[in-house]
Amino acid sequence: MWCPEGLDEVEAELLGPPEELKGKDVLEIGAGAAQCSRWLSAQGARPVALDLSHRQLQHALRIGGAFPLVCADAGALPFADASFDLACSAYGALPFVADPRLVLREVRRVLRPGGRFVFSVTHPVRWAFPDEPGPEGLTVSASYFDRTPYVEQDEDGHAVYVEHHRTLGDRVRDIVTSGFRLVDLVEPEWPDWNTSEWGGWSPLRGNLIPGTAVFVCERD
Ligand SMILES: C[S@@+](CC[C@H](N)C(=O)[O-])C[C@H]1O[C@@H](n2cnc3c(N)ncnc32)[C@H](O)[C@@H]1O
C-alpha cells in the first residue's frame, strides 16, 4: 500500500508487474514495521528493510519475515554500489530529512543501472492546509512556499517530531539533480470504497485535494 488513499501495488504496478519481482533485490527505505518488504518477499523478491528506528524494526521482527532488517540512516546507506534492482519507500525517511538529495543520491548509488526508485510522500499542496480531516482542513492557513519545518517538542524543548516541506518543483529538481529520470508522478484519487479517516486524511478532503504524491524515478 503506497498511501492512506489505499493505492495498492497489486493494481498500481509502479515497481513493475508483480510476476517480474521474483528474484529482484529490493531496498525498502524507512520501512517501519516492514509491511512492504513482507509483501515483496511473498512475491518472490529479495527485500531488505531499512529504518533509522530500532523500535520500528523490533515491530518488524515481532511480526516476522524471512528478509534482513537494517538499522541505518537513509542518507548513509551501508551497502555497496549497484546492490539493488529496485528501491521503494511508502512515506519513509524522505519527508523527515532536511536535505532529501542526500537520500536520493545514496539510493541512486546502491541501485543498478536502469534501477527504479518509487517513493510516496504527503502531497506538497497539503502543507498550506491545516492537518485536519474535517472542513477546517479545507481552508488555506499557511504559505505553500514556506519551507520552515514543522517541529514538535517535548517539555524539555527537544525535538520529538520533525517534518520538512518541499514544493512540487523542489521534489522534481531534487530527483533530477540526483541523477534520476522522473518517469511518473502519481496523485492517487480517493476511492469510493475507502471510508476511513486517518490523521488529516479523510474522504471529505481526499475527494477535493490530493493527499499523496508518488514519484516514480529511474536511474539513468
Ligand atoms: C511514516 S513512517 C512509514 C513507515 C512505513 N513505510 C509504512 O508505510 O508504514 C516513516 C518511517 O521513516 C523512518 N525514517 C525517518 N527518517 C529516516 C532516516 N533518515 N533513515 C531511515 N529511516 C527513517 C521512521 O523511523 C519511520 O519508520
Side-chain angles (χ1 to χ4, degrees):
M1 206 72 94
W2 288 106
C3 50
E5 286 82 357
L7 181 67
D8 195 317
E9 177 58 9
V10 173
E11 59 178 283
E13 297 193 2
L14 301 180
L15 294 169
E19 61 275 13
E20 288 180 21
L21 292 172
K22 201 168 186 327
K24 294 264 167 70
D25 294 308
V26 190
L27 175 61
E28 185 186 2
I29 302 278
Q35 40 275 56
C36 297
S37 288
R38 213 162 286 112
W39 180 82
L40 286 161
S41 179
Q43 310 312 306
R46 290 195 298 253
V48 173
L50 178 138
D51 203 285
L52 187 61
S53 161
H54 187 252
R55 184 84 181 268
Q56 286 287 344
L57 295 175
Q58 279 179 323
H59 288 301
L61 202 57
R62 178 177 46 79
I63 299 167
F67 48 84
L69 305 173
V70 176
C71 193
D73 182 355
L77 296 174
F79 306 109
D81 297 358
S83 302
F84 296 94
D85 302 302
L86 295 165
C88 62
S89 183
Y91 280 81
L94 283 150
F96 310 106
V97 295
D99 187 353
R101 287 166 301 186
L102 296 178
V103 175
L104 287 162
R105 281 183 210 138
E106 274 295 83
V107 174
R108 184 188 181 280
R109 182 183 65 74
V110 302
L111 276 175
R112 298 182 179 126
R116 190 169 259 221
F117 180 33
V118 184
F119 67 92
S120 60
V121 292
T122 305
H123 197 291
V125 155
R126 287 265 166 137
W127 193 254
F129 296 85
D131 195 26
E132 299 289 343
E136 63 278 29
L138 293 173
T139 305
V140 169
S141 62
S143 169
Y144 169 76
F145 300 103
D146 184 356
R147 275 83 157 179
T148 310
Y150 169 80
V151 181
E152 289 175 11
Q153 297 177 330
D154 65 17
E155 55 277 11
D156 300 322
H158 297 126
V160 289
Y161 182 90
V162 180
E163 204 171 314
H164 293 271
H165 172 55
R166 308 290 284 158
T167 66
L168 203 50
D170 293 339
R171 289 263 179 235
V172 171
R173 223 165 291 118
D174 290 344
I175 288 164
V176 172
T177 58
S178 300
F180 282 104
R181 201 160 52 84
L182 181 61
V183 175
D184 201 358
L185 165 54
V186 181
E187 296 168 295
E189 294 189 31
W190 197 274
D192 290 340
W193 59 262
N194 191 348
T195 54
S196 54
E197 281 191 7
W198 187 78
W201 279 268
S202 63
L204 174 75
R205 295 181 85 205
N207 279 309
L208 297 171
I209 51 172
T212 297
V214 192
F215 294 88
V216 182
C217 318
E218 269 175 14
R219 196 199 136 141
D220 281 340

